[in-house]
Amino acid sequence: DTSTLYGTDDSTDRLITINTTTGAGTGVGAGLGFASVRGLAFDPDTNTLYGENSLSAQLITIDTGTGAGTAVGSTGIGLLGLAFDENTSTLLGVKGFSSLGSQLFQVDTATADSTCVGALGFDDVQGLAFDSATGTMYGVDVSSPGVLITIDTTTHEGTAVGNAMAT
């Protein structure tokens, strides 16, 4: 459902829906069945919500009605952010802090096989979002001071927009 904002609650390992007016989260079901699910991305063509267990590097699908997760397979890298580009039907993930800086990966939704498609040029990108109306991908580099970036979907290079931290 593209009109619903989803998140995860680390303390209960549950899927939550987030009220966009109040910010209040409501738990869905008894639990995901996976801990430390960090990135979420929704494919509106198949109505599939994807998540990544960052500790075990498992790509999962999540039933938005029950909140239960099902393993797809291992990405092998522990992604910290996911975004779905509905214009190209591509799931993308980001591996944050590493000796190479943040890298963007294309993830096969059937097998979880992941292929590095480029370095973003920032140290610790952990969040991704895709605006299909404008074709713009966003990320947040959480290294000091925290920067909102746009990501070129062709070159996969990041460009700083501004400080994303609350003042």
Side-chain angles (χ1 to χ4, degrees), residues 34-41 50-60 62 73-82 107 112 114:
F34 297 87
S36 298
V37 174
R38 298 288 188 249
L40 294 176
Y50 294 97
E52 170 81 0
N53 177 322
S54 61
L55 297 178
S56 67
Q58 287 287 315
L59 179 69
I60 65 173
I62 302 168
S74 176
T75 62
I77 47 181
L79 300 168
L80 294 173
L82 295 175
V107 182
S114 301

mmCIF file with all atom_site columns, all heavy atoms in Angstrom, residues 34-41 50-60 62 73-82 107 112 114:
data_model
loop_
_atom_site.group_PDB
_atom_site.id
_atom_site.type_symbol
_atom_site.label_atom_id
_atom_site.label_alt_id
_atom_site.label_comp_id
_atom_site.label_asym_id
_atom_site.label_entity_id
_atom_site.label_seq_id
_atom_site.pdbx_PDB_ins_code
_atom_site.Cartn_x
_atom_site.Cartn_y
_atom_site.Cartn_z
_atom_site.occupancy
_atom_site.B_iso_or_equiv
_atom_site.pdbx_formal_charge
_atom_site.auth_seq_id
_atom_site.auth_comp_id
_atom_site.auth_asym_id
_atom_site.auth_atom_id
_atom_site.pdbx_PDB_model_num
ATOM 1   N N   . PHE A 1 34  ? 12.504 -11.768 12.461 1.00 0.00 ? 34  PHE A N   1
ATOM 2   C CA  . PHE A 1 34  ? 13.886 -11.383 12.176 1.00 0.00 ? 34  PHE A CA  1
ATOM 3   C C   . PHE A 1 34  ? 14.222 -10.180 13.035 1.00 0.00 ? 34  PHE A C   1
ATOM 4   O O   . PHE A 1 34  ? 13.407 -9.281  13.208 1.00 0.00 ? 34  PHE A O   1
ATOM 5   C CB  . PHE A 1 34  ? 14.062 -11.008 10.700 1.00 0.00 ? 34  PHE A CB  1
ATOM 6   C CG  . PHE A 1 34  ? 13.810 -12.134 9.757  1.00 0.00 ? 34  PHE A CG  1
ATOM 7   C CD1 . PHE A 1 34  ? 12.529 -12.402 9.301  1.00 0.00 ? 34  PHE A CD1 1
ATOM 8   C CD2 . PHE A 1 34  ? 14.849 -12.942 9.316  1.00 0.00 ? 34  PHE A CD2 1
ATOM 9   C CE1 . PHE A 1 34  ? 12.272 -13.441 8.434  1.00 0.00 ? 34  PHE A CE1 1
ATOM 10  C CE2 . PHE A 1 34  ? 14.613 -13.984 8.452  1.00 0.00 ? 34  PHE A CE2 1
ATOM 11  C CZ  . PHE A 1 34  ? 13.329 -14.250 8.007  1.00 0.00 ? 34  PHE A CZ  1
ATOM 12  N N   . ALA A 1 35  ? 15.445 -10.129 13.561 1.00 0.00 ? 35  ALA A N   1
ATOM 13  C CA  . ALA A 1 35  ? 15.897 -8.991  14.352 1.00 0.00 ? 35  ALA A CA  1
ATOM 14  C C   . ALA A 1 35  ? 16.645 -8.011  13.451 1.00 0.00 ? 35  ALA A C   1
ATOM 15  O O   . ALA A 1 35  ? 17.100 -8.369  12.365 1.00 0.00 ? 35  ALA A O   1
ATOM 16  C CB  . ALA A 1 35  ? 16.817 -9.470  15.477 1.00 0.00 ? 35  ALA A CB  1
ATOM 17  N N   . SER A 1 36  ? 16.736 -6.788  13.913 1.00 0.00 ? 36  SER A N   1
ATOM 18  C CA  . SER A 1 36  ? 17.563 -5.755  13.264 1.00 0.00 ? 36  SER A CA  1
ATOM 19  C C   . SER A 1 36  ? 17.233 -5.539  11.788 1.00 0.00 ? 36  SER A C   1
ATOM 20  O O   . SER A 1 36  ? 18.119 -5.444  10.944 1.00 0.00 ? 36  SER A O   1
ATOM 21  C CB  . SER A 1 36  ? 19.049 -6.088  13.418 1.00 0.00 ? 36  SER A CB  1
ATOM 22  O OG  . SER A 1 36  ? 19.399 -6.110  14.773 1.00 0.00 ? 36  SER A OG  1
ATOM 23  N N   . VAL A 1 37  ? 15.940 -5.469  11.479 1.00 0.00 ? 37  VAL A N   1
ATOM 24  C CA  . VAL A 1 37  ? 15.533 -5.146  10.109 1.00 0.00 ? 37  VAL A CA  1
ATOM 25  C C   . VAL A 1 37  ? 15.656 -3.642  9.960  1.00 0.00 ? 37  VAL A C   1
ATOM 26  O O   . VAL A 1 37  ? 14.969 -2.879  10.623 1.00 0.00 ? 37  VAL A O   1
ATOM 27  C CB  . VAL A 1 37  ? 14.103 -5.634  9.805  1.00 0.00 ? 37  VAL A CB  1
ATOM 28  C CG1 . VAL A 1 37  ? 13.651 -5.170  8.429  1.00 0.00 ? 37  VAL A CG1 1
ATOM 29  C CG2 . VAL A 1 37  ? 14.037 -7.155  9.916  1.00 0.00 ? 37  VAL A CG2 1
ATOM 30  N N   . ARG A 1 38  ? 16.569 -3.207  9.105  1.00 0.00 ? 38  ARG A N   1
ATOM 31  C CA  . ARG A 1 38  ? 16.893 -1.785  8.976  1.00 0.00 ? 38  ARG A CA  1
ATOM 32  C C   . ARG A 1 38  ? 16.206 -1.131  7.780  1.00 0.00 ? 38  ARG A C   1
ATOM 33  O O   . ARG A 1 38  ? 15.432 -0.234  7.930  1.00 0.00 ? 38  ARG A O   1
ATOM 34  C CB  . ARG A 1 38  ? 18.408 -1.587  8.877  1.00 0.00 ? 38  ARG A CB  1
ATOM 35  C CG  . ARG A 1 38  ? 19.168 -2.037  10.085 1.00 0.00 ? 38  ARG A CG  1
ATOM 36  C CD  . ARG A 1 38  ? 18.933 -1.073  11.239 1.00 0.00 ? 38  ARG A CD  1
ATOM 37  N NE  . ARG A 1 38  ? 19.807 -1.387  12.341 1.00 0.00 ? 38  ARG A NE  1
ATOM 38  C CZ  . ARG A 1 38  ? 19.401 -1.879  13.492 1.00 0.00 ? 38  ARG A CZ  1
ATOM 39  N NH1 . ARG A 1 38  ? 18.133 -2.111  13.707 1.00 0.00 ? 38  ARG A NH1 1
ATOM 40  N NH2 . ARG A 1 38  ? 20.257 -2.140  14.454 1.00 0.00 ? 38  ARG A NH2 1
ATOM 41  N N   . GLY A 1 39  ? 16.523 -1.560  6.602  1.00 0.00 ? 39  GLY A N   1
ATOM 42  C CA  . GLY A 1 39  ? 15.981 -0.920  5.416  1.00 0.00 ? 39  GLY A CA  1
ATOM 43  C C   . GLY A 1 39  ? 14.639 -1.517  5.027  1.00 0.00 ? 39  GLY A C   1
ATOM 44  O O   . GLY A 1 39  ? 14.421 -2.714  5.163  1.00 0.00 ? 39  GLY A O   1
ATOM 45  N N   . LEU A 1 40  ? 13.735 -0.674  4.540  1.00 0.00 ? 40  LEU A N   1
ATOM 46  C CA  . LEU A 1 40  ? 12.458 -1.126  3.997  1.00 0.00 ? 40  LEU A CA  1
ATOM 47  C C   . LEU A 1 40  ? 12.258 -0.470  2.638  1.00 0.00 ? 40  LEU A C   1
ATOM 48  O O   . LEU A 1 40  ? 12.635 0.687   2.445  1.00 0.00 ? 40  LEU A O   1
ATOM 49  C CB  . LEU A 1 40  ? 11.292 -0.727  4.904  1.00 0.00 ? 40  LEU A CB  1
ATOM 50  C CG  . LEU A 1 40  ? 11.203 -1.351  6.279  1.00 0.00 ? 40  LEU A CG  1
ATOM 51  C CD1 . LEU A 1 40  ? 10.026 -0.749  7.051  1.00 0.00 ? 40  LEU A CD1 1
ATOM 52  C CD2 . LEU A 1 40  ? 11.062 -2.859  6.196  1.00 0.00 ? 40  LEU A CD2 1
ATOM 53  N N   . ALA A 1 41  ? 11.662 -1.200  1.712  1.00 0.00 ? 41  ALA A N   1
ATOM 54  C CA  . ALA A 1 41  ? 11.317 -0.647  0.401  1.00 0.00 ? 41  ALA A CA  1
ATOM 55  C C   . ALA A 1 41  ? 10.078 -1.361  -0.105 1.00 0.00 ? 41  ALA A C   1
ATOM 56  O O   . ALA A 1 41  ? 9.937  -2.578  0.071  1.00 0.00 ? 41  ALA A O   1
ATOM 57  C CB  . ALA A 1 41  ? 12.476 -0.818  -0.580 1.00 0.00 ? 41  ALA A CB  1
ATOM 58  N N   . TYR A 1 50  ? 9.829  -5.106  1.125  1.00 0.00 ? 50  TYR A N   1
ATOM 59  C CA  . TYR A 1 50  ? 11.116 -5.764  1.359  1.00 0.00 ? 50  TYR A CA  1
ATOM 60  C C   . TYR A 1 50  ? 11.782 -5.154  2.575  1.00 0.00 ? 50  TYR A C   1
ATOM 61  O O   . TYR A 1 50  ? 11.623 -3.974  2.871  1.00 0.00 ? 50  TYR A O   1
ATOM 62  C CB  . TYR A 1 50  ? 12.046 -5.585  0.146  1.00 0.00 ? 50  TYR A CB  1
ATOM 63  C CG  . TYR A 1 50  ? 11.558 -6.283  -1.086 1.00 0.00 ? 50  TYR A CG  1
ATOM 64  C CD1 . TYR A 1 50  ? 10.844 -5.588  -2.062 1.00 0.00 ? 50  TYR A CD1 1
ATOM 65  C CD2 . TYR A 1 50  ? 11.796 -7.638  -1.281 1.00 0.00 ? 50  TYR A CD2 1
ATOM 66  C CE1 . TYR A 1 50  ? 10.383 -6.234  -3.191 1.00 0.00 ? 50  TYR A CE1 1
ATOM 67  C CE2 . TYR A 1 50  ? 11.329 -8.287  -2.414 1.00 0.00 ? 50  TYR A CE2 1
ATOM 68  C CZ  . TYR A 1 50  ? 10.623 -7.577  -3.368 1.00 0.00 ? 50  TYR A CZ  1
ATOM 69  O OH  . TYR A 1 50  ? 10.159 -8.214  -4.490 1.00 0.00 ? 50  TYR A OH  1
ATOM 70  N N   . GLY A 1 51  ? 12.570 -5.975  3.260  1.00 0.00 ? 51  GLY A N   1
ATOM 71  C CA  . GLY A 1 51  ? 13.376 -5.513  4.375  1.00 0.00 ? 51  GLY A CA  1
ATOM 72  C C   . GLY A 1 51  ? 14.711 -6.229  4.342  1.00 0.00 ? 51  GLY A C   1
ATOM 73  O O   . GLY A 1 51  ? 14.869 -7.250  3.672  1.00 0.00 ? 51  GLY A O   1
ATOM 74  N N   . GLU A 1 52  ? 15.668 -5.687  5.078  1.00 0.00 ? 52  GLU A N   1
ATOM 75  C CA  . GLU A 1 52  ? 16.999 -6.293  5.158  1.00 0.00 ? 52  GLU A CA  1
ATOM 76  C C   . GLU A 1 52  ? 17.362 -6.467  6.614  1.00 0.00 ? 52  GLU A C   1
ATOM 77  O O   . GLU A 1 52  ? 17.377 -5.502  7.377  1.00 0.00 ? 52  GLU A O   1
ATOM 78  C CB  . GLU A 1 52  ? 18.032 -5.401  4.460  1.00 0.00 ? 52  GLU A CB  1
ATOM 79  C CG  . GLU A 1 52  ? 19.470 -5.797  4.684  1.00 0.00 ? 52  GLU A CG  1
ATOM 80  C CD  . GLU A 1 52  ? 19.989 -6.939  3.825  1.00 0.00 ? 52  GLU A CD  1
ATOM 81  O OE1 . GLU A 1 52  ? 19.236 -7.482  2.992  1.00 0.00 ? 52  GLU A OE1 1
ATOM 82  O OE2 . GLU A 1 52  ? 21.167 -7.286  3.982  1.00 0.00 ? 52  GLU A OE2 1
ATOM 83  N N   . ASN A 1 53  ? 17.635 -7.711  7.007  1.00 0.00 ? 53  ASN A N   1
ATOM 84  C CA  . ASN A 1 53  ? 18.163 -7.977  8.333  1.00 0.00 ? 53  ASN A CA  1
ATOM 85  C C   . ASN A 1 53  ? 19.647 -7.654  8.257  1.00 0.00 ? 53  ASN A C   1
ATOM 86  O O   . ASN A 1 53  ? 20.425 -8.395  7.671  1.00 0.00 ? 53  ASN A O   1
ATOM 87  C CB  . ASN A 1 53  ? 17.933 -9.438  8.714  1.00 0.00 ? 53  ASN A CB  1
ATOM 88  C CG  . ASN A 1 53  ? 18.518 -9.790  10.055 1.00 0.00 ? 53  ASN A CG  1
ATOM 89  O OD1 . ASN A 1 53  ? 19.587 -9.322  10.419 1.00 0.00 ? 53  ASN A OD1 1
ATOM 90  N ND2 . ASN A 1 53  ? 17.828 -10.635 10.791 1.00 0.00 ? 53  ASN A ND2 1
ATOM 91  N N   . SER A 1 54  ? 20.024 -6.517  8.824  1.00 0.00 ? 54  SER A N   1
ATOM 92  C CA  . SER A 1 54  ? 21.391 -6.030  8.654  1.00 0.00 ? 54  SER A CA  1
ATOM 93  C C   . SER A 1 54  ? 22.426 -6.891  9.360  1.00 0.00 ? 54  SER A C   1
ATOM 94  O O   . SER A 1 54  ? 23.595 -6.872  8.986  1.00 0.00 ? 54  SER A O   1
ATOM 95  C CB  . SER A 1 54  ? 21.500 -4.574  9.116  1.00 0.00 ? 54  SER A CB  1
ATOM 96  O OG  . SER A 1 54  ? 21.178 -4.478  10.481 1.00 0.00 ? 54  SER A OG  1
ATOM 97  N N   . LEU A 1 55  ? 22.038 -7.654  10.364 1.00 0.00 ? 55  LEU A N   1
ATOM 98  C CA  . LEU A 1 55  ? 22.995 -8.505  11.081 1.00 0.00 ? 55  LEU A CA  1
ATOM 99  C C   . LEU A 1 55  ? 23.308 -9.786  10.315 1.00 0.00 ? 55  LEU A C   1
ATOM 100 O O   . LEU A 1 55  ? 24.459 -10.206 10.241 1.00 0.00 ? 55  LEU A O   1
ATOM 101 C CB  . LEU A 1 55  ? 22.474 -8.848  12.477 1.00 0.00 ? 55  LEU A CB  1
ATOM 102 C CG  . LEU A 1 55  ? 22.283 -7.662  13.422 1.00 0.00 ? 55  LEU A CG  1
ATOM 103 C CD1 . LEU A 1 55  ? 21.720 -8.132  14.757 1.00 0.00 ? 55  LEU A CD1 1
ATOM 104 C CD2 . LEU A 1 55  ? 23.597 -6.925  13.620 1.00 0.00 ? 55  LEU A CD2 1
ATOM 105 N N   . SER A 1 56  ? 22.285 -10.430 9.761  1.00 0.00 ? 56  SER A N   1
ATOM 106 C CA  . SER A 1 56  ? 22.501 -11.691 9.039  1.00 0.00 ? 56  SER A CA  1
ATOM 107 C C   . SER A 1 56  ? 22.552 -11.500 7.528  1.00 0.00 ? 56  SER A C   1
ATOM 108 O O   . SER A 1 56  ? 22.753 -12.468 6.800  1.00 0.00 ? 56  SER A O   1
ATOM 109 C CB  . SER A 1 56  ? 21.404 -12.693 9.384  1.00 0.00 ? 56  SER A CB  1
ATOM 110 O OG  . SER A 1 56  ? 20.151 -12.248 8.882  1.00 0.00 ? 56  SER A OG  1
ATOM 111 N N   . ALA A 1 57  ? 22.370 -10.273 7.052  1.00 0.00 ? 57  ALA A N   1
ATOM 112 C CA  . ALA A 1 57  ? 22.393 -9.950  5.623  1.00 0.00 ? 57  ALA A CA  1
ATOM 113 C C   . ALA A 1 57  ? 21.309 -10.703 4.844  1.00 0.00 ? 57  ALA A C   1
ATOM 114 O O   . ALA A 1 57  ? 21.505 -11.073 3.694  1.00 0.00 ? 57  ALA A O   1
ATOM 115 C CB  . ALA A 1 57  ? 23.775 -10.210 5.025  1.00 0.00 ? 57  ALA A CB  1
ATOM 116 N N   . GLN A 1 58  ? 20.154 -10.913 5.480  1.00 0.00 ? 58  GLN A N   1
ATOM 117 C CA  . GLN A 1 58  ? 19.040 -11.598 4.836  1.00 0.00 ? 58  GLN A CA  1
ATOM 118 C C   . GLN A 1 58  ? 18.057 -10.586 4.247  1.00 0.00 ? 58  GLN A C   1
ATOM 119 O O   . GLN A 1 58  ? 17.570 -9.708  4.959  1.00 0.00 ? 58  GLN A O   1
ATOM 120 C CB  . GLN A 1 58  ? 18.283 -12.464 5.848  1.00 0.00 ? 58  GLN A CB  1
ATOM 121 C CG  . GLN A 1 58  ? 19.008 -13.702 6.277  1.00 0.00 ? 58  GLN A CG  1
ATOM 122 C CD  . GLN A 1 58  ? 19.037 -14.747 5.191  1.00 0.00 ? 58  GLN A CD  1
ATOM 123 O OE1 . GLN A 1 58  ? 18.036 -15.025 4.535  1.00 0.00 ? 58  GLN A OE1 1
ATOM 124 N NE2 . GLN A 1 58  ? 20.203 -15.311 4.980  1.00 0.00 ? 58  GLN A NE2 1
ATOM 125 N N   . LEU A 1 59  ? 17.780 -10.726 2.952  1.00 0.00 ? 59  LEU A N   1
ATOM 126 C CA  . LEU A 1 59  ? 16.681 -9.979  2.347  1.00 0.00 ? 59  LEU A CA  1
ATOM 127 C C   . LEU A 1 59  ? 15.411 -10.729 2.699  1.00 0.00 ? 59  LEU A C   1
ATOM 128 O O   . LEU A 1 59  ? 15.356 -11.962 2.580  1.00 0.00 ? 59  LEU A O   1
ATOM 129 C CB  . LEU A 1 59  ? 16.839 -9.896  0.831  1.00 0.00 ? 59  LEU A CB  1
ATOM 130 C CG  . LEU A 1 59  ? 15.709 -9.158  0.095  1.00 0.00 ? 59  LEU A CG  1
ATOM 131 C CD1 . LEU A 1 59  ? 15.756 -7.668  0.426  1.00 0.00 ? 59  LEU A CD1 1
ATOM 132 C CD2 . LEU A 1 59  ? 15.824 -9.376  -1.399 1.00 0.00 ? 59  LEU A CD2 1
ATOM 133 N N   . ILE A 1 60  ? 14.385 -10.001 3.151  1.00 0.00 ? 60  ILE A N   1
ATOM 134 C CA  . ILE A 1 60  ? 13.120 -10.626 3.491  1.00 0.00 ? 60  ILE A CA  1
ATOM 135 C C   . ILE A 1 60  ? 11.979 -9.900  2.791  1.00 0.00 ? 60  ILE A C   1
ATOM 136 O O   . ILE A 1 60  ? 12.097 -8.738  2.425  1.00 0.00 ? 60  ILE A O   1
ATOM 137 C CB  . ILE A 1 60  ? 12.870 -10.653 5.015  1.00 0.00 ? 60  ILE A CB  1
ATOM 138 C CG1 . ILE A 1 60  ? 12.730 -9.237  5.594  1.00 0.00 ? 60  ILE A CG1 1
ATOM 139 C CG2 . ILE A 1 60  ? 13.983 -11.419 5.734  1.00 0.00 ? 60  ILE A CG2 1
ATOM 140 C CD1 . ILE A 1 60  ? 12.314 -9.202  7.071  1.00 0.00 ? 60  ILE A CD1 1
ATOM 141 N N   . ILE A 1 62  ? 7.930  -8.921  3.580  1.00 0.00 ? 62  ILE A N   1
ATOM 142 C CA  . ILE A 1 62  ? 7.131  -8.742  4.789  1.00 0.00 ? 62  ILE A CA  1
ATOM 143 C C   . ILE A 1 62  ? 5.662  -8.647  4.412  1.00 0.00 ? 62  ILE A C   1
ATOM 144 O O   . ILE A 1 62  ? 5.279  -7.828  3.570  1.00 0.00 ? 62  ILE A O   1
ATOM 145 C CB  . ILE A 1 62  ? 7.564  -7.466  5.544  1.00 0.00 ? 62  ILE A CB  1
ATOM 146 C CG1 . ILE A 1 62  ? 9.051  -7.540  5.895  1.00 0.00 ? 62  ILE A CG1 1
ATOM 147 C CG2 . ILE A 1 62  ? 6.706  -7.264  6.790  1.00 0.00 ? 62  ILE A CG2 1
ATOM 148 C CD1 . ILE A 1 62  ? 9.634  -6.226  6.380  1.00 0.00 ? 62  ILE A CD1 1
ATOM 149 N N   . GLY A 1 73  ? 16.732 -14.671 0.749  1.00 0.00 ? 73  GLY A N   1
ATOM 150 C CA  . GLY A 1 73  ? 18.091 -15.192 0.634  1.00 0.00 ? 73  GLY A CA  1
ATOM 151 C C   . GLY A 1 73  ? 19.067 -14.178 1.188  1.00 0.00 ? 73  GLY A C   1
ATOM 152 O O   . GLY A 1 73  ? 18.692 -13.091 1.625  1.00 0.00 ? 73  GLY A O   1
ATOM 153 N N   . SER A 1 74  ? 20.343 -14.530 1.144  1.00 0.00 ? 74  SER A N   1
ATOM 154 C CA  . SER A 1 74  ? 21.378 -13.667 1.684  1.00 0.00 ? 74  SER A CA  1
ATOM 155 C C   . SER A 1 74  ? 21.900 -12.706 0.617  1.00 0.00 ? 74  SER A C   1
ATOM 156 O O   . SER A 1 74  ? 22.239 -13.123 -0.485 1.00 0.00 ? 74  SER A O   1
ATOM 157 C CB  . SER A 1 74  ? 22.537 -14.499 2.217  1.00 0.00 ? 74  SER A CB  1
ATOM 158 O OG  . SER A 1 74  ? 23.581 -13.646 2.653  1.00 0.00 ? 74  SER A OG  1
ATOM 159 N N   . THR A 1 75  ? 21.965 -11.427 0.987  1.00 0.00 ? 75  THR A N   1
ATOM 160 C CA  . THR A 1 75  ? 22.602 -10.453 0.108  1.00 0.00 ? 75  THR A CA  1
ATOM 161 C C   . THR A 1 75  ? 24.113 -10.533 0.256  1.00 0.00 ? 75  THR A C   1
ATOM 162 O O   . THR A 1 75  ? 24.851 -10.053 -0.600 1.00 0.00 ? 75  THR A O   1
ATOM 163 C CB  . THR A 1 75  ? 22.155 -9.014  0.431  1.00 0.00 ? 75  THR A CB  1
ATOM 164 O OG1 . THR A 1 75  ? 22.544 -8.698  1.768  1.00 0.00 ? 75  THR A OG1 1
ATOM 165 C CG2 . THR A 1 75  ? 20.663 -8.838  0.246  1.00 0.00 ? 75  THR A CG2 1
ATOM 166 N N   . GLY A 1 76  ? 24.564 -11.092 1.367  1.00 0.00 ? 76  GLY A N   1
ATOM 167 C CA  . GLY A 1 76  ? 25.984 -11.253 1.626  1.00 0.00 ? 76  GLY A CA  1
ATOM 168 C C   . GLY A 1 76  ? 26.685 -9.994  2.112  1.00 0.00 ? 76  GLY A C   1
ATOM 169 O O   . GLY A 1 76  ? 27.898 -10.009 2.298  1.00 0.00 ? 76  GLY A O   1
ATOM 170 N N   . ILE A 1 77  ? 25.936 -8.894  2.303  1.00 0.00 ? 77  ILE A N   1
ATOM 171 C CA  . ILE A 1 77  ? 26.622 -7.644  2.623  1.00 0.00 ? 77  ILE A CA  1
ATOM 172 C C   . ILE A 1 77  ? 26.035 -6.823  3.761  1.00 0.00 ? 77  ILE A C   1
ATOM 173 O O   . ILE A 1 77  ? 26.680 -5.913  4.221  1.00 0.00 ? 77  ILE A O   1
ATOM 174 C CB  . ILE A 1 77  ? 26.719 -6.735  1.371  1.00 0.00 ? 77  ILE A CB  1
ATOM 175 C CG1 . ILE A 1 77  ? 25.384 -6.664  0.670  1.00 0.00 ? 77  ILE A CG1 1
ATOM 176 C CG2 . ILE A 1 77  ? 27.807 -7.186  0.458  1.00 0.00 ? 77  ILE A CG2 1
ATOM 177 C CD1 . ILE A 1 77  ? 25.369 -5.845  -0.564 1.00 0.00 ? 77  ILE A CD1 1
ATOM 178 N N   . GLY A 1 78  ? 24.869 -7.116  4.264  1.00 0.00 ? 78  GLY A N   1
ATOM 179 C CA  . GLY A 1 78  ? 24.302 -6.338  5.372  1.00 0.00 ? 78  GLY A CA  1
ATOM 180 C C   . GLY A 1 78  ? 23.954 -4.916  4.989  1.00 0.00 ? 78  GLY A C   1
ATOM 181 O O   . GLY A 1 78  ? 24.580 -3.971  5.437  1.00 0.00 ? 78  GLY A O   1
ATOM 182 N N   . LEU A 1 79  ? 22.959 -4.755  4.162  1.00 0.00 ? 79  LEU A N   1
ATOM 183 C CA  . LEU A 1 79  ? 22.549 -3.427  3.691  1.00 0.00 ? 79  LEU A CA  1
ATOM 184 C C   . LEU A 1 79  ? 21.878 -2.638  4.800  1.00 0.00 ? 79  LEU A C   1
ATOM 185 O O   . LEU A 1 79  ? 21.144 -3.187  5.614  1.00 0.00 ? 79  LEU A O   1
ATOM 186 C CB  . LEU A 1 79  ? 21.595 -3.577  2.508  1.00 0.00 ? 79  LEU A CB  1
ATOM 187 C CG  . LEU A 1 79  ? 22.189 -4.304  1.302  1.00 0.00 ? 79  LEU A CG  1
ATOM 188 C CD1 . LEU A 1 79  ? 21.092 -4.661  0.303  1.00 0.00 ? 79  LEU A CD1 1
ATOM 189 C CD2 . LEU A 1 79  ? 23.264 -3.468  0.659  1.00 0.00 ? 79  LEU A CD2 1
ATOM 190 N N   . LEU A 1 80  ? 22.107 -1.333  4.817  1.00 0.00 ? 80  LEU A N   1
ATOM 191 C CA  . LEU A 1 80  ? 21.543 -0.465  5.849  1.00 0.00 ? 80  LEU A CA  1
ATOM 192 C C   . LEU A 1 80  ? 20.434 0.440   5.323  1.00 0.00 ? 80  LEU A C   1
ATOM 193 O O   . LEU A 1 80  ? 19.882 1.239   6.068  1.00 0.00 ? 80  LEU A O   1
ATOM 194 C CB  . LEU A 1 80  ? 22.645 0.379   6.478  1.00 0.00 ? 80  LEU A CB  1
ATOM 195 C CG  . LEU A 1 80  ? 23.677 -0.426  7.255  1.00 0.00 ? 80  LEU A CG  1
ATOM 196 C CD1 . LEU A 1 80  ? 24.818 0.456   7.705  1.00 0.00 ? 80  LEU A CD1 1
ATOM 197 C CD2 . LEU A 1 80  ? 23.030 -1.128  8.433  1.00 0.00 ? 80  LEU A CD2 1
ATOM 198 N N   . GLY A 1 81  ? 20.120 0.337   4.076  1.00 0.00 ? 81  GLY A N   1
ATOM 199 C CA  . GLY A 1 81  ? 19.032 1.111   3.492  1.00 0.00 ? 81  GLY A CA  1
ATOM 200 C C   . GLY A 1 81  ? 18.593 0.449   2.201  1.00 0.00 ? 81  GLY A C   1
ATOM 201 O O   . GLY A 1 81  ? 19.409 -0.149  1.496  1.00 0.00 ? 81  GLY A O   1
ATOM 202 N N   . LEU A 1 82  ? 17.308 0.522   1.902  1.00 0.00 ? 82  LEU A N   1
ATOM 203 C CA  . LEU A 1 82  ? 16.746 -0.017  0.666  1.00 0.00 ? 82  LEU A CA  1
ATOM 204 C C   . LEU A 1 82  ? 15.858 1.035   0.018  1.00 0.00 ? 82  LEU A C   1
ATOM 205 O O   . LEU A 1 82  ? 15.259 1.857   0.700  1.00 0.00 ? 82  LEU A O   1
ATOM 206 C CB  . LEU A 1 82  ? 15.883 -1.258  0.941  1.00 0.00 ? 82  LEU A CB  1
ATOM 207 C CG  . LEU A 1 82  ? 16.550 -2.508  1.480  1.00 0.00 ? 82  LEU A CG  1
ATOM 208 C CD1 . LEU A 1 82  ? 15.490 -3.560  1.801  1.00 0.00 ? 82  LEU A CD1 1
ATOM 209 C CD2 . LEU A 1 82  ? 17.547 -3.063  0.491  1.00 0.00 ? 82  LEU A CD2 1
ATOM 210 N N   . VAL A 1 107 ? 19.810 -5.303  -6.073 1.00 0.00 ? 107 VAL A N   1
ATOM 211 C CA  . VAL A 1 107 ? 19.464 -6.545  -5.401 1.00 0.00 ? 107 VAL A CA  1
ATOM 212 C C   . VAL A 1 107 ? 18.400 -7.282  -6.205 1.00 0.00 ? 107 VAL A C   1
ATOM 213 O O   . VAL A 1 107 ? 17.353 -6.715  -6.533 1.00 0.00 ? 107 VAL A O   1
ATOM 214 C CB  . VAL A 1 107 ? 18.935 -6.274  -3.974 1.00 0.00 ? 107 VAL A CB  1
ATOM 215 C CG1 . VAL A 1 107 ? 18.627 -7.574  -3.252 1.00 0.00 ? 107 VAL A CG1 1
ATOM 216 C CG2 . VAL A 1 107 ? 19.935 -5.432  -3.184 1.00 0.00 ? 107 VAL A CG2 1
ATOM 217 N N   . ALA A 1 112 ? 18.031 -12.534 -3.906 1.00 0.00 ? 112 ALA A N   1
ATOM 218 C CA  . ALA A 1 112 ? 18.789 -11.667 -2.994 1.00 0.00 ? 112 ALA A CA  1
ATOM 219 C C   . ALA A 1 112 ? 20.230 -11.461 -3.455 1.00 0.00 ? 112 ALA A C   1
ATOM 220 O O   . ALA A 1 112 ? 21.005 -10.806 -2.762 1.00 0.00 ? 112 ALA A O   1
ATOM 221 C CB  . ALA A 1 112 ? 18.750 -12.159 -1.553 1.00 0.00 ? 112 ALA A CB  1
ATOM 222 N N   . SER A 1 114 ? 23.287 -9.739  -4.870 1.00 0.00 ? 114 SER A N   1
ATOM 223 C CA  . SER A 1 114 ? 23.544 -8.300  -4.884 1.00 0.00 ? 114 SER A CA  1
ATOM 224 C C   . SER A 1 114 ? 24.787 -7.987  -5.697 1.00 0.00 ? 114 SER A C   1
ATOM 225 O O   . SER A 1 114 ? 25.802 -8.665  -5.578 1.00 0.00 ? 114 SER A O   1
ATOM 226 C CB  . SER A 1 114 ? 23.731 -7.791  -3.459 1.00 0.00 ? 114 SER A CB  1
ATOM 227 O OG  . SER A 1 114 ? 22.580 -8.072  -2.703 1.00 0.00 ? 114 SER A OG  1
#
